[in-house]
Amino acid sequence: MSDAFPEIKSKHSLVAKYVTEPLWAKLSRATTKTSGFTLSKAIACAVEFDNQHCGIYAGDWDSYKVFADVFDPLIQEYHGISADSVHTSDMDVNKIKGNINPKAPVHSTRIRVGRSIDGFGLSPGITKEQRFGVENLMRKAFANLKGDLAGSYFPLTGMNEKIRQQLVDDHFLFVSGDPNLKMAGMERDWPEGRGIFHNKDKTFLTWVNEEDQLRIISMQKGGDVKAVFDRLARGIKAVGDSVKAESGKDFMLDAKYGYVHSCPTNLGTGMRASVHIDLPGYTKVGAKVLHARCEELHLQPRGTRGESGGQTGVTYDISNKHRLGYSEVELVQKMIDGVNILHKEDEALRKAHGI
């Protein structure tokens, strides 16, 4: 027996392509062990919304295995990897060649990754108890951080207004209300079990129990990508070592798909390395030209108000396009080299247009 085949509103999504009636008949009643997740919960966004490109989330590491008939081909198409590919992680800052040209008008640099602790569900499926388990473990782990990584953890529950406003002003606070996260089950029991850690200098942050169990972020003003990556690598290792010391647990690391995330688009490195840079020359010739050039350079341009924000002025957020199939070092290198090329071309465009 199987449940009735759902009407998938996102007709052009990867879910619509890969969740076929025969696969639904086979998998619709399967549930995962860690958090009791189902295929119906996994594809809720594609079923309910008509704007999804991917449209599927995992509720735990088991989801990728139990529903592999759907996830595997979908992940291969999205990331452009082969069925037998394996993922290699590399966080060695010494392998990065050069840095962003100091003359480039870069406002800030930010690199984030996601990490998940083995034995707990992922955000769409995590149980209330597991979510508190992650938070309690992280409170202890953060307390062990030393030197420039040391700082404070601020739980969202019971947060006083002064701290909340400060986190908003710093652009650190994550908030509820994203329709995708809501539909995917990631805002259940909001805001319990969620919080934000940052170091004293506000250059190293971790979000706890947002879209991923952990979003680890390194950032600072200017374009010293190497320094940001170095801090990130040290921070990930310190957090991982601390979690291991407190619980004996490791980060979920899959031989094929790298670091496990709730959204399959983030699998692999789960890394987004970005800079905010002024590109007045490209602004003059238009967003289409910039998008096409970034595509060639394996980069992704966005407006500086985030994924869904519009473009304002001449400042763009430029980041690596890929997550899986490349190491962290390779992706940071692509970003550095690509931004340097864009800066050089932008200077030529400015000259040509008299800007």
Side-chain angles (χ1 to χ4, degrees), residues 193-297:
R194 297 162 173 94
I196 297 159
F197 168 87
H198 67 72
N199 68 345
K200 292 182 190 72
D201 296 336
K202 300 183 180 180
T203 54
F204 180 69
L205 279 82
T206 304
W207 288 356
V208 177
N209 287 322
E210 195 238 5
E211 182 179 325
D212 285 301
Q213 287 179 19
L214 304 176
R215 279 280 168 97
I216 303 174
I217 305 160
S218 175
M219 59 202 262
Q220 66 188 51
K221 298 278 182 222
D224 189 351
V225 182
K226 253 185 165 166
V228 174
F229 186 66
D230 174 63
R231 187 187 310 110
L232 181 77
R234 286 187 295 110
I236 294 168
K237 186 178 182 324
V239 170
D241 289 350
S242 191
V243 166
K244 181 84 171 171
E246 290 292 341
S247 67
K249 294 179 189 294
D250 292 298
F251 290 141
M252 296 180 201
L253 179 59
D254 191 272
K256 192 182 188 127
Y257 294 143
Y259 288 101
V260 177
H261 294 69
S262 66
C263 182
T265 65
N266 275 322
L267 289 170
T269 60
M271 188 179 82
R272 186 168 180 275
S274 64
V275 295
H276 282 184
I277 182 172
D278 291 344
L279 297 171
Y282 269 108
T283 304
K284 181 79 177 165
V285 294
K288 265 190 176 155
V289 180
L290 177 62
H291 276 263
R293 185 63 179 124
C294 284
E295 189 66 33
E296 292 168 355
L297 296 167

Side-chain angles (χ1 to χ4, degrees), residues 329-349:
V329 164
E330 288 173 311
L331 292 178
V332 169
Q333 193 68 58
K334 271 178 196 265
M335 193 269 275
I336 291 172
D337 296 346
V339 167
N340 281 334
I341 291 166
L342 288 176
H343 167 58
K344 206 171 176 182
E345 291 170 352
D346 196 75
E347 284 192 318
L349 286 167

